[in-house]
């Protein structure tokens, strides 16, 4: 069976082979792609519109760098870019743009050839994500002009990253290559995250392992959402941006969990504060997006500064701890530092402080996860899981599971015997227990009685006040019946609004006294409904009393069949109850035999 070190070795070798193959393909496969660095000009605000955009009448200014357009005023949300293309030799030419802030319409020969996110004539639009774009060029065999109408209420407006032209197939091949390289990092991060979590759980450090695993999987989700191939798999840029944004916003939270579980002392308090601040920020972004109609992308600028402060606080706390740093502590801090620096580079390139670096943060993500994996490999070298402890743990888990199953069985048996609304016996349970009680009473020559009653005009209550009020009436009636009965009496909701009570060891006087108390208690039920009106109820009650036994000989007794006896008593009580209803309801009718 391969060890953890062998697994890591195989993962690293596989990663190197994939990276070398990707680099070899990129080096040997020349693609006919040209970078568009010249021929750009710009115009702030919308150009004139008269049954079409009059681009030729606008004042165009030369532009050296298309992602840093000068002269934007605070309220400018529309930018026009013009690209003068010389004649080309491509059969199926397209322009590839890494990203656009935020939405765009592209025109060629006064005709719109591409649109991402609708922009109204009034210059209004909404954020739809940050995908890469393939924009068709209709007349590449001769000089042509393309016009980009760009909308943005974001701090940045214009084109971002690389802008190149080439054959559509070559551009897509280029996208696939870049995406596959990113997928290598994602696979490494995912596999390493699983290994870290698994090794941590084996080491009985579940909380550390789970916090590290959650951070790794959060980073995997962020990387995949920003990978070029995600757009190929599902062309929903806004969904991917949501996933990328909130997984990015949660990075300090998961980092704080890792630090809190790994270190002690003041670092734990700092980590807890980082987690609280991060959760508060994410909740605020969600609230603003849902309730205040504020786009979540405006939170990026705020969060970037907050991210730097929070992670720096974690790093400073790690170095300020009083205990000496162990080798494993150093690995954890190295992983956090590598992650912080790589995301910082990614952030600075996005703000044009550095040259555009696509996915700069992925190296730090991999380094962090590999550092955490190395931590557990070091633990594996220093510690061995004891077989006796493992067996003890398994036995404990089996015992706990057996106890849970036993308790669940008891609960299921109880639920099978109870009416779901009133908590009284259900019909099936009443019949089973009632047969046993009758058999016992007959065997010992003990009298018993059976009471059957229902609520008068219950259908009117449901029709007038609704079934919710009707259920409350049934619950109250069950409560009164249970409270009026003795401990050994069987109280059952027999069906609908009908209730039955079996009274063991009750002679005629006892049964009559009980029914009288029950009738008074039922008539005293009063419920207030939502409109303040009070509902009072009455009940029709039938009672059957059994005190006779058929003797045969001196020592032998022949008893009625219990099944037929219970069925007969129920039918007699039912007939008595309907006699009460036929005579005006709200009364008691007795039958004895």
């Amino acid at each position: 069976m391969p060890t953890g070190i062998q697994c890591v070795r195989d993962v690293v070798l596989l990663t190197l082979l994939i990276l070398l193959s990707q680099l070899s393909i990129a080096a040997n496969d020349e693609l006919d792609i040209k970078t568009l660095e010249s021929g750009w000009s710009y115009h702030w605000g919308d150009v004139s519109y008269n049954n079409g955009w009059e681009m030729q009448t606008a004042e165009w200014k030369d532009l050296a760098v298309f992602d840093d357009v000068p002269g934007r005023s605070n309220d400018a949300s529309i930018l026009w870019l013009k690209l003068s293309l010389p004649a080309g030799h491509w059969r199926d030419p397209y322009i590839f743009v890494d990203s656009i802030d935020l939405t765009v319409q592209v025109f060629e020969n006064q005709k719109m050839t591409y649109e991402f996110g609708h922009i109204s004539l009034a210059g209004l639009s909404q954020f739809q994500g940050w995908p890469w774009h393939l924009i068709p060029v209709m007349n590449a065999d001769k000089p042509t002009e393309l016009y980009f109408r760009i909308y943005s209420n974001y701090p940045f407006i214009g084109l971002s990253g690389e802008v190149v032209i080439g054959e559509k197939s070559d551009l897509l091949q280029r996208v696939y290559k870049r995406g596959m390289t990113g997928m290598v990092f994602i696979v490494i991060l995912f596999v390493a995250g699983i290994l870290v979590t698994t090794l941590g759980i084996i080491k009985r450090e579940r909380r550390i392992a789970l916090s590290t695993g959650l951070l790794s999987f959060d980073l995997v989700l962020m990387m995949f959402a920003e990978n070029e191939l995600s757009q190929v798999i599902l062309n929903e840029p806004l969904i991917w941006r949501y996933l990328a944004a909130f997984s990015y916003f949660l990075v300090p939270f998961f980092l704080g969990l890792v630090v809190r579980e790994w270190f002690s002392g003041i670092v734990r308090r700092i980590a807890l504060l980082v987690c609280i601040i991060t959760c508060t920020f994410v909740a605020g972004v969600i609230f603003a997006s849902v309730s205040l109609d504020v786009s979540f992308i405006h939170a990026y600028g705020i969060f970037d500064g907050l991210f730097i402060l929070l992670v720096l606080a974690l790093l400073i706390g790690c170095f300020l701890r009083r205990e000496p740093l162990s080798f494993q502590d150093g690995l954890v801090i190295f992983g956090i530092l590598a992650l912080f620096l790589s995301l910082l580079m990614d952030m600075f390139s996005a703000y044009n402080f550095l040259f555009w670096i696509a996915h700069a943060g992925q190296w730090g993500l991999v380094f962090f996860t590999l550092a955490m994996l190395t931590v557990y490999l070091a633990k594996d070298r220093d510690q061995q899981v004891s077989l006796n402890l493992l067996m003890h743990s398994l036995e404990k888990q089996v015992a706990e599971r057996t106890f849970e199953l036993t308790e669940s069985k008891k609960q299921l048996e109880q639920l099978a015997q109870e009416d779901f609304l009133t908590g009284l016996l259900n019909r099936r349970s009443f019949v089973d227990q009632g047969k046993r009680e009758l058999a016992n009473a007959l065997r010992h020559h003990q009298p018993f009685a059976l009471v059957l009653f229902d609520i008068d005009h219950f259908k009117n209550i449901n029709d007038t006040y609704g079934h919710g009020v009707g259920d409350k009436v049934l619950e109250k009636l069950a409560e009164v019946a249970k409270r009026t009965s003795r401990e050994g009496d069987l109280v059952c909701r027999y069906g609908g609004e009908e209730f039955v009570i079996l009274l063991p060891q009750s002679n005629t006087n006892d049964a009559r006294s009980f029914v009288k108390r029950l009738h008074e208690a039922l008539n005293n039920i009063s419920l207030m409904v939502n409109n303040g009106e009070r509902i009072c109820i009455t009940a029709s009650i039938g009672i059957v009393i059994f005190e006779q036994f058929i003797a045969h000989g001196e020592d032998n007794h022949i008893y009625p069949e219990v099944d037929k006896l219970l069925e007969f008593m129920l039918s007699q009580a039912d007939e008595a109850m309907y006699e009460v209803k036929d005579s005006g309801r709200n009364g008691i009718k007795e039958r004895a035999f």
Side-chain angles (χ1 to χ4, degrees), residues 240-443:
W240 292 120
R241 181 44 50 186
Y242 268 108
L243 293 175
F246 283 96
S247 57
Y248 173 51
F249 293 160
L250 287 171
V251 168
F253 171 78
F254 291 116
L255 271 178
L257 287 184
V258 172
V259 172
R260 180 172 171 77
E261 296 301 330
W262 190 265
F263 297 103
S264 59
I266 188 174
V267 191
R268 287 176 59 85
R269 293 192 290 272
I270 294 175
L272 177 60
L273 182 60
V274 167
C275 292
I276 294 173
I277 293 174
T278 305
C279 290
T280 303
F281 177 84
V282 172
V285 173
I286 295 174
F287 175 78
S289 300
V290 174
S291 302
L292 304 180
D293 197 24
V294 177
S295 177
F296 68 95
I297 63 168
H298 295 288
Y300 268 99
I302 301 172
F303 180 77
D304 289 338
L306 184 63
F307 174 84
I308 295 174
L309 294 176
L310 294 179
V311 180
L312 280 178
L314 288 175
L315 289 170
I316 293 172
C318 291
F319 285 109
L320 288 180
R321 60 194 300 268
R322 296 180 180 179
E323 299 83 357
L325 289 174
S326 65
F327 172 71
Q328 295 167 6
D329 294 338
L331 284 174
V332 174
I333 294 175
F334 167 77
I336 296 175
L337 186 61
L339 178 62
F340 173 65
L341 292 177
S342 63
L343 291 178
L344 202 62
M345 291 176 59
D346 204 15
M347 186 190 308
F348 284 172
S349 64
Y351 284 99
N352 294 325
F353 297 146
L354 295 175
F355 182 74
W356 173 265
I357 306 173
H359 311 299
Q362 58 194 9
W363 283 102
L365 308 185
V366 172
F367 282 144
F368 170 80
T369 305
L370 291 180
M372 295 304 299
L373 181 59
T374 307
V375 167
Y376 285 105
L377 291 176
K379 282 180 172 291
D380 191 53
R381 180 195 60 193
D382 299 333
Q383 301 174 1
Q384 293 297 327
V385 179
S386 170
L387 182 60
N388 291 334
L389 290 177
L390 180 59
M391 292 299 297
H392 176 73
S393 175
L394 290 176
E395 290 173 359
K396 182 180 178 181
Q397 291 179 20
V398 170
E400 290 176 350
R401 184 59 179 162
T402 303
F403 177 77
E404 291 175 359
L405 290 175
T406 303
E407 291 298 315
S408 298
K409 182 180 178 181
K410 291 180 180 178
Q411 293 177 3
L412 288 175
E413 291 174 350
Q414 182 179 0
L415 290 174
Q417 295 177 355
E418 291 183 354
D419 174 62
F420 72 96
L421 178 64
T422 62
L424 301 179
L425 295 176
N426 57 29
R427 183 170 184 165
R428 179 178 178 181
S429 179
F430 172 79
V431 171
D432 291 341
Q433 296 186 41
K435 290 178 183 178
R436 290 195 294 269
E437 290 290 342
L438 292 183
N440 186 62
L442 293 172
R443 186 176 302 113

Side-chain angles (χ1 to χ4, degrees), residues 543-557:
I543 178 172
V544 179
I545 303 170
F546 187 92
E547 288 186 314
Q548 298 181 14
F549 298 91
I550 303 173
H552 182 73
E554 296 180 358
D555 300 323
N556 298 320
H557 297 279

Side-chain angles (χ1 to χ4, degrees), residues 100-105 116-117 119 125-126 128 149-151:
I100 297 178
D101 289 316
L102 295 174
T103 55
V104 65
Q105 294 172 331
F116 171 70
I119 308 176
S125 185
Q126 290 183 341
Q128 296 295 325
R149 184 179 181 230
I150 303 172
Y151 165 86

Side-chain angles (χ1 to χ4, degrees), residues 117-130:
H118 177 69
I119 308 176
S120 68
L121 292 178
L124 301 176
S125 185
Q126 290 183 341
F127 177 66
Q128 296 295 325
W130 275 314

